[in-house]
Amino acid sequence: MERMERFIDNLPPMNLMRSEKMTLVQLIIPVESAHRAVSYLGELGLLQFRDLNAEKSPFQRTFVNQVKRCGEMSRKLRFFKDQISKAGLLSSVLPVVEPDVELEELEIQLAEHEHELIEMNSNSEKLRQTYNELLEFKMVLQKAGGFLVSSNNHAVAEERELSENVYSNDDYVETSSLLEQEMRPADQSGLRFISGIICKSKALRFERMLFRATRGNMLFYQSSAGEEIMDPVSAEMVEKTVFVVFFSGEQARTKILKICEAFGANCYPVPEDISKQRQITREVLSRLSELETTLDAGMRHRNKALTSIGYHLQQWMSMVRREKAVYDTLNMLNFDVTKKCLVGEGWCPIFAKAQIQEALQRATFDSNSQVGIIFHVMDAVESPPTYFRTNHFTNAYQEIVDAYGVARYQEANPAVYTVITFPFLFAVMFGDWGHGICLLLGALVLIARESRLNTQKLGSFMEMLFGGRYVLLLMSLFSVYCGLIYNEFFSVPFHIFGGSAYKCRDATCSDAHSAGLIKFRDPYPFGVDPSWRGSRSELPFLNSLKMKMSILLGVAQMNLGILLSYFNARFFHNSLDVRYQFVPQMIFLNSLFGYLSLLIIIKWCTGSQADLYHVMIYMFLSPTDDLGDNELFWGQRPLQIVLLLLALVAVPWMLFPKPFILKKLHSEVAPMACLAPLSLILM
């Protein structure tokens, strides 16, 4: 931390207006210090390596095995994170003070933890499946026992009633009589049954299929299990139904078992003897109690192991990400002819050369290398990358601008102006000083707790708010300002800066709108007069005001953008852009929209009733006609004619000369480039 603070103190002042000047450097790094060198440079964050192996696939790179190992460790860490989340535990968000372990040692630890967790999950799953099966068996014993205890006469009576009312069709006379015979006490020895449990949603289809398969030669009893049970196959809580199927014959038994298997029904043997049923029930209950104790103990042991892993999880994930990034960067480097050094190229800011050399020296010393790292500047042909230095305040605005497009190397940085324009344009839309104060309080809380929140792991939404805390601060301040202009406090106007400029015409106009009001004093000192609220002309007045303000702000921002293009052209000594881009764009923009902005300001200052829509439309359709009541100042008509001619001239001036001049320059440079190799041969 002290080294980082000393490094920041030694940095030159930030160049906010333009990107930093960059230079291309080459590094020749001994193999034994390559890992530390890349790691230290990554922590510094001031060198962008070029990929010298772009023609190779990822599987042909030198350190592909190390990248695979890091990927495998990342998979294991994601597995640990999922297990911690499923268990309802929280991984430690506090910084771990323990030093980083070696990659090989971490790989062994992760493999051991994964094997232990997989084994515990497998054992727990088997125990849980056994527990669920025993729970289902208990339900079957409780429900099916009642069916078996029922008297045979009751069963015969039900079957006769069923055969008379439902199965009266001729096709089922033979099968129903067979059931009657089998249900008689004399023939009771031939009757058999299968008991089990099935999902309640499948019970009706299951019964129909059994009836069709046995041609009605069966009895089907069912009863709800009374509670949801975890299905042993799907591991989901479902509502189930206990069933008992009475049948006769081995062939029917085979069919019924196949249907049970097809429908996912679990069959359990239930003895006919009541004493045996009670004995089995006691054994099942005893076994369930033992399994509950075993499952609880296993769950506590698993949670303890997951808690231990969660304490180090963030540190391990950070370490694996860092190691993977280091090896990905090393794959961008090439070996020299001796195979003892790695050669890399990259871009760095000019001010950072001293800091990079210091980091390379530390890497050489820490790796006990006998050979130092060679660092030298190279000449570059291609354009360098764009690098803007940011701080906590400007970082969010720079990200907003970069989301739309990154400025070219050494161009003017739009983020400097976005610091003001973005929150102010938001405030023009938001415009309520009551809501603005609420937003301001939220931003101040985030800024006050900046040091604490910066070390915590936040959710996606809170992380977005925290990253844009200074954006929220300026948006809230400008919202308060614009809200005072609009005179809106939670959409309610107040007499903050004095009384209204209007009063009633007489004592009976307290409920009158603008038609019943007269102006009796100077305008309201600041913002919109509160008497406009609720008047008949409130909506036209405010819409007109906000529309005109939007035009003024939009034209001002477009002029700012064109001025930035002029400064870029001057910086790069590009007179072509100045003559054929900046000048015609300024003429075209201000001949039309700049003139409209001027008319808006004059109308506000003079209180004229001129129709600006009519003025701008007939400026194109009938530029020589008399303006009449729409004339705002002397000489307006000839000025409009001149501005219209300038706008018409600016369009071809802006579109045609520059492409033809660039084509001519390109055609002149191409033959010279072809003659250069020939002159070298002749020499």
Side-chain angles (χ1 to χ4, degrees):
M1 182 62 70
E2 295 178 357
R3 189 188 304 117
M4 181 62 68
E5 293 177 354
R6 186 171 63 254
F7 164 69
I8 294 175
D9 293 337
N10 294 331
L11 286 177
M14 293 175 58
N15 187 4
L16 293 177
M17 301 303 297
R18 297 191 180 276
S19 62
E20 299 292 339
K21 293 184 178 180
M22 308 289 286
T23 182
L24 182 63
V25 298
Q26 185 182 55
L27 305 177
I28 301 177
I29 312 172
V31 175
E32 61 271 14
S33 58
H35 185 278
R36 287 187 181 271
V38 173
S39 179
Y40 290 169
L41 290 176
E43 294 175 359
L44 195 61
L46 292 173
L47 181 65
Q48 178 180 331
F49 282 94
R50 298 171 61 187
D51 191 0
L52 303 181
N53 300 310
E55 72 282 355
K56 294 182 179 180
S57 68
F59 302 100
Q60 295 175 334
R61 309 255 176 151
T62 306
F63 300 94
V64 61
N65 292 328
Q66 287 81 352
V67 174
K68 289 181 179 179
R69 289 170 58 192
C70 292
E72 180 64 17
M73 286 189 286
S74 297
R75 182 196 62 78
K76 294 176 182 177
L77 291 172
R78 289 194 300 270
F79 170 71
F80 297 152
K81 187 176 181 180
D82 292 340
Q83 292 296 311
I84 292 174
S85 177
K86 290 179 180 179
L89 304 175
L90 296 176
S91 58
S92 176
V93 296
L94 298 176
V96 180
V97 296
E98 297 182 2
D100 291 340
V101 297
E102 295 293 333
L103 188 64
E104 292 77 9
E105 183 180 351
L106 177 60
E107 187 176 14
I108 295 174
Q109 290 184 17
L110 296 182
E112 293 176 353
H113 287 306
E114 184 187 29
H115 177 73
E116 182 183 7
L117 276 178
I118 291 176
E119 186 175 357
M120 285 191 293
N121 289 340
S122 177
N123 294 335
S124 177
E125 184 179 354
K126 292 178 181 178
L127 290 175
R128 176 62 63 180
Q129 184 174 0
T130 304
Y131 178 83
N132 293 331
E133 290 176 353
L134 287 174
L135 189 61
E136 289 184 348
F137 192 16
K138 184 191 74 170
M139 295 291 181
V140 172
L141 286 171
Q142 292 175 348
K143 300 294 182 178
F147 300 145
L148 298 177
V149 172
S150 300
S151 63
N152 294 330
N153 294 332
H154 180 67
V156 171
E158 283 187 349
E159 180 57 25
R160 286 176 177 173
E161 182 180 358
L162 182 66
S163 62
E164 292 174 359
N165 298 334
V166 180
Y167 307 131
S168 58
N169 194 306
D170 295 338
D171 296 336
Y172 297 103
V173 171
E174 181 181 355
T175 57
S176 61
S177 62
L178 176 62
L179 278 175
E180 291 178 0
Q181 295 174 3
E182 290 180 345
M183 292 301 295
R184 292 171 185 167
D187 301 331
Q188 189 69 23
S189 59
L191 189 64
R192 306 167 67 182
F193 69 92
I194 292 176
S195 58
I197 193 168
I198 190 173
C199 292
K200 188 174 182 180
S201 59
K202 301 179 181 178
L204 182 59
R205 290 181 289 133
F206 177 65
E207 182 181 2
R208 290 177 178 176
M209 183 60 70
L210 289 176
F211 182 80
R212 292 172 183 173
T214 60
R215 297 181 61 83
N217 194 12
M218 64 94 187
L219 285 176
F220 185 85
Y221 294 96
Q222 62 177 343
S223 176
S224 176
E227 59 179 302
E228 291 188 346
I229 306 174
M230 181 177 289
D231 188 80
V233 179
S234 62
E236 296 180 356
M237 299 298 294
V238 294
E239 190 174 356
K240 293 199 171 185
T241 298
V242 177
F243 67 88
V244 177
V245 183
F246 292 93
F247 62 92
S248 178
E250 185 64 25
Q251 186 177 3
R253 179 179 181 276
T254 303
K255 291 181 180 181
I256 293 173
L257 289 177
K258 288 183 179 180
I259 294 173
C260 290
E261 182 180 359
F263 278 83
N266 301 319
C267 298
Y268 298 97
V270 178
E272 297 182 15
D273 190 0
I274 297 178
S275 60
K276 290 184 179 180
Q277 290 182 16
R278 292 175 180 175
Q279 180 182 357
I280 295 175
T281 302
R282 287 194 297 269
E283 293 177 358
V284 169
L285 291 175
S286 175
R287 181 61 177 159
L288 283 174
S289 178
E290 294 176 358
L291 284 176
E292 287 179 358
T293 304
T294 305
L295 285 171
D296 291 340
M299 187 63 66
R300 288 194 298 270
H301 179 64
R302 180 172 175 270
N303 289 343
K304 184 178 179 181
L306 289 175
T307 303
S308 176
I309 293 173
Y311 181 72
H312 303 278
L313 186 62
Q314 296 299 328
Q315 180 194 15
W316 290 345
M317 293 180 70
S318 176
M319 179 182 174
V320 171
R321 282 197 301 265
R322 184 173 64 249
E323 291 295 323
K324 188 175 185 299
V326 168
Y327 286 115
D328 283 335
T329 305
L330 289 173
N331 278 330
M332 301 169 69
L333 277 58
N334 269 336
F335 277 100
D336 66 345
V337 292
T338 63
K339 301 295 182 180
K340 296 181 180 180
C341 294
L342 288 169
V343 180
E345 297 178 1
W347 296 96
C348 72
I350 292 178
F351 73 84
K353 289 193 293 184
Q355 285 76 26
I356 292 175
Q357 290 176 342
E358 180 184 355
L360 295 177
Q361 291 174 1
R362 286 194 296 111
T364 302
F365 177 78
D366 293 344
S367 59
N368 298 323
S369 176
Q370 302 298 324
V371 182
I373 301 175
I374 300 175
F375 173 90
H376 65 90
V377 179
M378 300 175 60
D379 295 330
V381 178
E382 66 271 21
S383 177
T386 302
Y387 173 67
F388 294 108
R389 269 194 296 164
T390 59
N391 51 32
H392 293 301
F393 183 79
T394 61
N395 182 62
Y397 297 99
Q398 191 67 56
E399 289 183 353
I400 292 173
V401 173
D402 291 344
Y404 291 94
V406 180
R408 290 185 299 173
Y409 177 65
Q410 287 284 282
E411 279 190 342
N413 185 11
V416 178
Y417 310 95
T418 307
V419 172
I420 300 299
T421 59
F422 181 81
F424 184 75
L425 291 177
F426 168 83
V428 171
M429 173 194 67
F430 198 62
D432 189 302
W433 63 279
H435 291 96
I437 291 175
C438 296
L439 190 62
L440 176 62
L441 293 177
L444 291 177
V445 170
L446 292 176
I447 294 173
R449 299 184 178 181
E450 179 177 347
S451 58
R452 183 187 306 175
L453 295 175
N454 200 26
T455 58
Q456 295 181 2
K457 184 178 180 181
L458 307 174
S460 57
F461 181 72
M462 282 301 300
E463 186 176 357
M464 179 184 65
L465 290 181
F466 179 71
R469 56 195 180 278
Y470 292 106
V471 180
L472 294 177
L473 175 66
L474 289 187
M475 287 195 304
S476 61
L477 292 175
F478 284 127
S479 296
V480 172
Y481 172 73
C482 290
L484 292 174
I485 291 180
Y486 298 156
N487 199 354
E488 288 191 1
F489 178 80
F490 296 108
S491 300
V492 177
F494 282 91
H495 294 269
I496 305 174
F497 301 102
S500 172
Y502 300 93
K503 68 177 182 179
C504 294
R505 293 181 180 271
D506 50 47
T508 62
C509 69
S510 59
D511 296 331
H513 296 284
S514 59
L517 300 175
I518 59 172
K519 186 175 182 181
F520 73 101
R521 64 167 65 175
D522 292 336
Y524 192 71
F526 186 84
V528 177
D529 195 306
S531 293
W532 284 105
R533 176 70 62 175
S535 66
R536 293 176 181 176
S537 56
E538 174 193 6
L539 192 60
F541 170 74
L542 292 180
N543 285 348
S544 176
L545 173 66
K546 294 179 180 180
M547 182 190 68
K548 292 181 174 63
M549 288 180 60
S550 300
I551 293 174
L552 294 177
L553 293 174
V555 172
Q557 190 165 9
M558 286 189 286
N559 275 285
L560 175 61
I562 297 175
L563 286 174
L564 289 181
S565 69
Y566 168 75
F567 291 125
N568 286 333
R570 285 290 302 273
F571 181 83
F572 293 111
H573 305 288
N574 192 343
S575 59
L576 192 65
D577 286 347
V578 175
R579 290 196 300 266
Y580 301 106
Q581 182 173 310
F582 167 72
V583 174
Q585 285 180 353
M586 288 295 290
I587 291 175
F588 181 80
L589 175 64
N590 291 290
S591 296
L592 301 179
F593 302 102
Y595 174 63
L596 176 60
S597 303
L598 177 64
L599 294 181
I600 291 173
I601 296 174
I602 293 175
K603 182 177 179 179
W604 280 349
C605 295
T606 60
S608 172
Q609 298 298 320
D611 186 359
L612 299 186
Y613 289 109
H614 186 277
V615 172
M616 293 304 297
I617 290 173
Y618 283 93
M619 177 180 174
F620 291 91
L621 298 180
S622 303
T624 59
D625 289 354
D626 187 16
L627 296 175
D629 295 336
N630 292 325
E631 186 172 1
L632 292 169
F633 56 90
W634 181 84
Q636 182 178 353
R637 185 175 63 179
L639 177 61
Q640 289 185 174
I641 296 174
V642 173
L643 293 177
L644 181 60
L645 293 176
L646 288 175
L648 294 176
V649 171
V651 173
W653 185 3
M654 181 172 46
L655 297 178
F656 296 109
K658 184 178 177 180
F660 289 106
I661 294 174
L662 290 176
K663 181 179 179 181
K664 181 180 179 182
L665 293 175
H666 179 73
S667 60
E668 291 176 354
V669 172
M672 298 300 296
C674 295
L675 290 175
L678 180 61
S679 62
L680 293 176
I681 295 174
L682 294 176
M683 291 176 62

